[in-house]
Amino acid sequence: MFEAIKLLVAVVSLVMVYRTITGNCNKYLAFAICAIWLRYFLSAFHTVTYPSLVAGFSLNALGSIGVAGLGLLLIPTVVFTLKKLFPFYIFFTAIAASGFVNMQIPGTINVLVKWCYFLVLAGALFLSIRRQGQNETFKKLLVAFTMPLTLQVFSVLLGHAKSAEADGSTSYIGGYNHEAAFSMIIVSFIFVVGLIERGTIRFRTSLFTLAVFLLILVNYRTSILTILPIAAVFYFTLIEQRLKPSQKAPVLTIVAMLFAMVFMALSFTMQERFADVGLMLRNLDLITKAPIYFSEAEKDIMSARVFIWSQYINAFANADGLNQIFGFGPDSWKSRFTLYAHNTFVSYLYEYGVLGLCTFILLCVFMILQLLSLKDKKLSKILTLSFLGFLTMNLATMPLWNIEGLIFFSIFCSLVFGAKAKNRQLSLKQKPSVLANEN
């Protein structure tokens, strides 16, 4: 029954996408909307699109390759030469070097195609923001999220849930395959709605609140922790805009107290889901403990995440010098471990070595510096907190491993670079014909 609902929702959302991109929509935004919708559409039918189909590639993989290839043809080359992308290219070079040293060619191609997907999507959204502005771009981009959000609502109404943890808790993810990837769809939607200015769309606050509630129902704690700073800034800003200067201090103090009470209430109602977080923080030494010495109780901490991390770190620590520098290669974990690392930094240390991890950390530092240098201090505050929340998420899962996480990161980066472009002339100004002749 639910598969039939998926088909119906897919058709309706496709019609909505068509009406949006054939309206007042530049070609770059149309490409981004179609690319995101296609990913969410294919992922919804994972029983068909995940298994290998042609030459070891699934329909999902072929879709990503197609989007990346089309994007390279559509996006002007000058966009890929922006100085802001240089730290990304250093990181990509470290990935390629790791793959070459370890001769992990298929894994290297797979990972670099994913990052190419990120580049073309970020470039398309950047050009759209430059052309039509942030509000118009994000307003139209919302249509790409229609299908997954509608399916999640239906899954709640029909009780179509997925068992998520050994403790019996469930996740409402609209019939998608995994709560980690699906949570990034909701996080992306929350981020887009939160960054649309007040008055641009109707029911903005209601949409944002609904999305936060839906994220809680996904029941993926790392995503919930990620969205907390975004939600706090959104509601604080919403209240602040309605107050006179003389009212701000006392009212916002009361609101802060209410937020604290709500947070405590949520913590209490979900204490079983978050209890392991506190336990892990009190036993950080477990991360470097050899897996063989873990007790059965210790193996269960954070849904076995701490135990998984220790396996990867132990394998890295016992590797030779070359592997410690370059890692074991992209996707090399698949031949040694049953589960992925559930931590971006730990995974990159194992796969790309010290060189790869350091370049990724430098990339993160670069992004933070870009955020702090934004002249729009309100936007700077929101984006900085959002990025810190995203990095926190990477400590307990790997959003950058799947396309859904890269979609969020591409939306985020396009906004950062688009905002920077308002403050000063970038290298695009050297070739004004690129933007002047856009259709």
Side-chain angles (χ1 to χ4, degrees):
M1 177 183 174
F2 205 79
E3 293 301 309
I5 293 176
K6 284 183 183 180
L7 284 172
L8 178 61
V9 173
V11 172
V12 174
S13 65
L14 180 59
V15 172
M16 295 175 65
V17 166
Y18 176 77
R19 294 183 61 181
T20 300
I21 65 176
T22 54
N24 181 26
C25 185
N26 65 79
K27 63 183 180 181
Y28 302 116
L29 179 56
F31 167 77
I33 291 173
C34 291
I36 295 173
W37 178 88
L38 178 63
R39 175 64 185 188
Y40 296 163
F41 167 77
L42 291 175
S43 297
F45 299 94
H46 53 87
T47 55
V48 177
T49 60
Y50 277 21
S52 298
L53 182 66
V54 179
F57 294 104
S58 65
L59 281 175
N60 242 0
L62 292 173
S64 299
I65 294 171
V67 168
L70 182 59
L72 290 175
L73 296 175
L74 177 68
I75 309 300
T77 305
V78 66
V79 173
F80 301 117
T81 63
L82 286 170
K83 293 180 180 178
K84 297 293 184 293
L85 294 176
F86 184 67
F88 290 87
Y89 292 139
I90 294 178
F91 175 56
F92 300 160
T93 301
I95 294 176
S98 175
F100 178 77
V101 169
N102 293 279
M103 294 306 293
Q104 293 281 347
I105 307 303
T108 303
I109 294 175
N110 179 50
V111 172
L112 291 181
V113 166
K114 288 181 180 179
W115 281 106
C116 183
Y117 184 104
F118 157 80
L119 276 179
V120 299
L121 193 56
L125 290 171
F126 167 75
L127 289 173
S128 179
I129 291 173
R130 290 268 291 178
R131 183 177 176 83
Q132 290 188 277
Q134 172 187 325
N135 280 329
E136 190 66 19
T137 295
F138 280 12
K139 176 183 175 181
K140 293 183 180 301
L141 191 63
L142 291 177
V143 73
F145 297 88
T146 303
M147 183 175 178
L149 264 74
T150 304
L151 287 177
Q152 188 185 12
V153 172
F154 273 117
S155 71
V156 174
L157 295 177
L158 299 176
H160 187 83
K162 175 189 175 183
S163 178
E165 298 289 346
D167 59 10
S169 59
T170 56
S171 297
Y172 292 92
I173 56 176
Y176 281 73
N177 183 56
H178 197 280
E179 55 273 15
F182 187 81
S183 69
M184 285 312 306
I185 299 176
I186 308 301
V187 168
S188 299
F189 180 78
I190 292 173
F191 181 75
V192 172
V193 173
L195 269 294
I196 295 176
E197 292 183 3
R198 180 185 174 191
T200 302
I201 58 174
R202 291 185 298 175
F203 310 116
R204 170 175 170 264
T205 303
S206 299
L207 277 175
F208 187 90
T209 304
L210 173 64
V212 172
F213 178 69
L214 290 176
L215 182 63
I216 294 174
L217 292 180
V218 174
N219 197 26
Y220 201 65
R221 56 190 154 198
T222 53
S223 297
I224 296 173
L225 292 173
T226 299
I227 213 63
L228 284 178
I230 303 175
V233 171
F234 178 86
Y235 289 117
F236 260 95
T237 303
L238 183 68
I239 296 172
E240 187 181 27
Q241 290 173 341
R242 300 173 182 269
L243 297 175
K244 297 178 181 179
S246 59
Q247 299 174 325
K248 288 185 178 181
V251 173
L252 290 180
T253 300
I254 296 174
V255 171
M257 294 174 62
L258 290 174
F259 278 154
M261 293 174 62
V262 170
F263 178 74
M264 291 176 64
L266 287 173
S267 299
F268 179 77
T269 57
M270 302 180 71
Q271 59 182 333
E272 291 185 5
R273 298 287 290 123
F274 285 95
D276 282 353
V277 177
L279 182 60
M280 184 202 69
L281 293 176
R282 293 192 298 270
N283 298 275
L284 289 176
D285 59 307
L286 289 176
I287 298 175
T288 57
K289 185 177 181 179
I292 193 174
Y293 297 116
F294 269 66
S295 66
E296 291 302 317
E298 290 172 338
K299 289 180 181 180
D300 292 332
I301 296 177
M302 287 283 291
S303 301
R305 280 175 170 80
V306 177
F307 179 62
I308 295 171
W309 300 342
S310 71
Q311 291 178 311
Y312 279 80
I313 293 174
N314 184 69
F316 170 81
N318 292 312
D320 58 37
L322 188 65
N323 283 128
Q324 288 188 343
I325 295 174
F326 293 99
F328 291 88
D331 283 350
S332 56
W333 64 270
K334 294 179 180 179
S335 61
R336 183 164 184 173
F337 302 103
T338 304
L339 300 172
Y340 66 96
H342 287 74
N343 183 311
T344 297
F345 298 93
V346 170
S347 180
Y348 285 177
L349 178 65
Y350 177 81
E351 294 183 78
Y352 313 140
V354 173
L355 180 64
L357 179 61
C358 287
T359 56
F360 179 69
I361 292 175
L362 287 175
L363 170 60
C364 294
V365 172
F366 168 79
M367 289 300 299
I368 292 175
L369 293 176
Q370 292 294 302
L371 295 169
L372 294 176
S373 65
L374 293 177
K375 290 185 178 180
D376 186 338
K377 295 307 176 184
K378 174 186 171 184
L379 182 63
S380 174
K381 176 177 64 176
I382 295 174
L383 293 182
T384 301
L385 289 174
S386 299
F387 189 63
L388 292 176
F390 183 65
L391 290 181
T392 301
M393 184 180 188
N394 278 272
L395 292 174
T397 188
M398 293 173 60
L400 296 176
W401 182 53
N402 53 57
I403 294 294
E404 287 77 8
L406 289 173
I407 288 174
F408 168 80
F409 198 39
S410 65
I411 295 172
F412 181 87
C413 291
S414 67
L415 181 57
V416 176
F417 299 150
K420 292 291 290 185
K422 294 179 182 179
N423 300 334
R424 64 189 184 197
Q425 296 297 329
L426 297 179
S427 57
L428 278 174
K429 186 179 178 182
Q430 299 173 0
K431 296 188 178 183
S433 58
V434 172
L435 297 179
N437 296 328
E438 288 175 2
N439 295 322

